[in-house]
Amino acid sequence: MLVFSLFLWWYGRGWLAVIKNLRSMLRGISRLFSVPLLLRTLFAPWRRIISYPGASLDAKLRAYGDNIVSRTIGFIVRLIVLLTSLVISLLAIIFGLVSIIAWPLVPIAAVALIVKGIMK
């Protein structure tokens, strides 16, 4: 009876739990890297470093250049973090799909290996 319950769980709720864990892992990666926030602030200045223009044309051009550099650095850093998040998410998806595909095969493999061990 216990073995039957194990197989019912394994091919029912257990398999669904593996799928839910994959979804949860992807959500966790998104939260860990703050993907929605990074997408909203992709072109924001780096660390809110903003130069305010002075009265002269030279001060205005210098502030404009500083702000462009700050936004460029912010964009590059945020883009690198987003790409890292994408790579880790893809690895998690691959690992999750392998787990989902291998899940129903594990009990069959266990039985087959026991039989193979007995036959030798």
Side-chain angles (χ1 to χ4, degrees), residues 8-30:
L8 274 178
W9 175 85
W10 192 272
Y11 290 106
R13 290 184 309 191
W15 207 356
L16 291 175
V18 171
I19 295 169
K20 287 180 184 178
N21 285 341
L22 173 62
R23 196 174 342 156
S24 175
M25 189 177 3
L26 291 174
R27 264 192 244 119
I29 291 169
S30 176

Side-chain angles (χ1 to χ4, degrees), residues 42-100:
L42 190 60
F43 294 103
W46 176 244
R47 296 190 180 240
R48 298 183 185 167
I49 299 174
I50 300 173
S51 297
Y52 295 100
S56 68
L57 180 62
D58 182 45
K60 289 180 183 179
L61 288 175
R62 182 168 308 171
Y64 179 75
D66 289 345
N67 290 337
I68 290 293
V69 168
S70 179
R71 287 183 188 273
T72 304
I73 292 171
F75 174 77
I76 291 170
V77 170
R78 288 179 183 95
L79 188 64
I80 289 170
V81 173
L82 284 170
L83 290 175
T84 304
S85 169
L86 178 67
V87 168
I88 292 175
S89 294
L90 288 175
L91 290 173
I93 288 171
I94 291 169
F95 176 74
L97 289 176
V98 167
S99 297
I100 290 169

